[in-house]
Amino acid sequence: MPRTRHTAAFALITVAALALTACGSGDPATATAGAAAAEGKVPTTDVVSSVRKDEAAAKLLPAGVRAARTLTIAASVGNPPGSAYLADGKTLAGTDIDFADAVARKLGLRLDREVASFEAILPALDSGKYDVGTGNFGVTEARRRTIDFVTYINDGQGFAVRDDSRLTKVTDLTQLCGLTVATGAGTTFEVTLEENRHRCTDAGREPYDVKTYNDQGATWASLQQGRSDVVMSTINGLRYAVGQQEGVRFLNEFKRLDVGFAFKKGTPLAPAFQAAVNGLKADGTYDRILKKWGIAASAITTSQISPPEIK
């Protein structure tokens, strides 16, 4: 997958990391809004407004939703190219935003979007606070027990390191023994790392240490400052981030996962969302979104409802 340099204030990771590196503290959103304007421009191609309502897909919605014409959506923000703030500190942009907006237009709906922390969204869906959530949520067997998904891309898990790292590729987590790994709180990465730490001690080696962060800027700052040795995150997010920073490199893909819109288990919304995503593929919007954000390698053949985890 090629690196993209569509930055501006969208370069949340870089600017936040630099601000934290230089000062040891700071507001990542404020830093992003101020510094990224000098770095270039976010891709501004309008790939959504031409999307027209698909009556057949819309008829799959529950009658109450068709009547209200509104859904509440929770969006996790801060991991480009998935979703981040623009220079004004208010406007959101990214693959998650474009796909959600395009699906809403296909279904004739308005989205009432609320920004929420990644780790809070899935529990909030179960409680009924939101109708749908976005945040590059990977489809796993553990999540499928309580959450329904409608897939729209394929992403997954990968690693990045500083240029001075001796690591060249991670194919087995025991290669991380004795190192400090930075990752996002409440993610599949955290689960994967914690579930496999015992493999180091089983092999008579020092286990790796897992450091979790709620903010991507802090995650990258920990790597830049030497407080961690490796970052584990989304493949697309890592590729994007290393394109915006000096002294770091993408290591390799570790595991692919389907990514989907997240819903409360048993949701009646899934068939309509699936039809809408497949409609976007049919009319060319799907490919235009992937091209805009430089993630063509994440294309899926067809949208699925809660498919088994990719092994």
Side-chain angles (χ1 to χ4, degrees), residues 14 28 43 47 96 112 117 143 153-154 165 170-171 187 206 209 216 219 229 234 239 244 249 252 258-259 262 310:
T14 303
V47 292
D96 286 347
D112 182 7
S117 64
R143 285 175 173 169
I153 61 170
N154 176 274
S165 174
V170 176
T171 57
T187 61
E206 180 185 356
D209 186 25
Q216 282 292 310
T219 304
D229 304 296
T234 67
R239 289 188 187 277
Q244 318 308 319
R249 55 188 166 89
N252 64 287
D258 287 316
V259 170
I310 297 174

Side-chain angles (χ1 to χ4, degrees), residues 116-281:
S117 64
F118 179 90
E119 64 273 18
I121 292 178
L122 298 186
L125 291 171
D126 189 56
S127 72
K129 183 176 181 180
Y130 305 112
D131 298 308
V132 58
T134 58
N136 209 79
F137 290 112
V139 181
T140 67
E141 294 305 320
R143 285 175 173 169
R144 290 201 317 146
R145 290 195 284 268
T146 57
I147 296 292
D148 279 340
F149 294 92
V150 173
T151 61
Y152 56 96
I153 61 170
N154 176 274
D155 193 352
Q157 303 175 341
F159 296 96
V161 294
R162 291 186 305 278
D163 284 345
D164 62 5
S165 174
R166 295 182 180 180
L167 286 173
T168 57
K169 189 174 184 180
V170 176
T171 57
D172 190 296
L173 294 180
T174 56
Q175 293 172 258
L176 303 176
C177 295
L179 301 179
T180 298
V181 187
T183 195
T187 61
T188 60
F189 322 114
E190 180 184 8
V191 172
T192 297
L193 290 167
E194 292 294 353
E195 286 183 346
N196 287 278
R197 288 182 80 234
H198 69 90
R199 296 175 60 192
C200 291
T201 53
D202 291 348
R205 302 173 63 185
E206 180 185 356
Y208 51 75
D209 186 25
V210 181
K211 299 291 187 185
T212 60
Y213 299 90
N214 292 316
D215 174 74
Q216 282 292 310
T219 304
W220 287 100
S222 75
L223 183 69
Q224 292 277 22
Q225 295 172 351
R227 290 182 283 108
S228 62
D229 304 296
V230 187
V231 169
M232 187 178 187
S233 190
T234 67
I235 295 167
N236 290 337
L238 291 171
R239 289 188 187 277
Y240 183 92
V242 300
Q244 318 308 319
Q245 301 180 75
E246 298 295 332
V248 295
R249 55 188 166 89
F250 178 74
L251 208 53
N252 64 287
E253 297 183 8
F254 183 70
K255 179 182 180 180
R256 279 278 174 176
L257 285 173
D258 287 316
V259 170
F261 295 103
F263 305 86
K264 181 178 181 177
K265 191 70 176 176
T267 179
L269 298 172
F273 268 69
Q274 180 189 33
V277 173
N278 287 330
L280 295 175
K281 289 188 67 68

Side-chain angles (χ1 to χ4, degrees), residues 12-28:
L12 175 81
I13 293 175
T14 303
V15 179
L18 292 177
L20 288 165
T21 300
C23 306
S25 62
D27 182 343

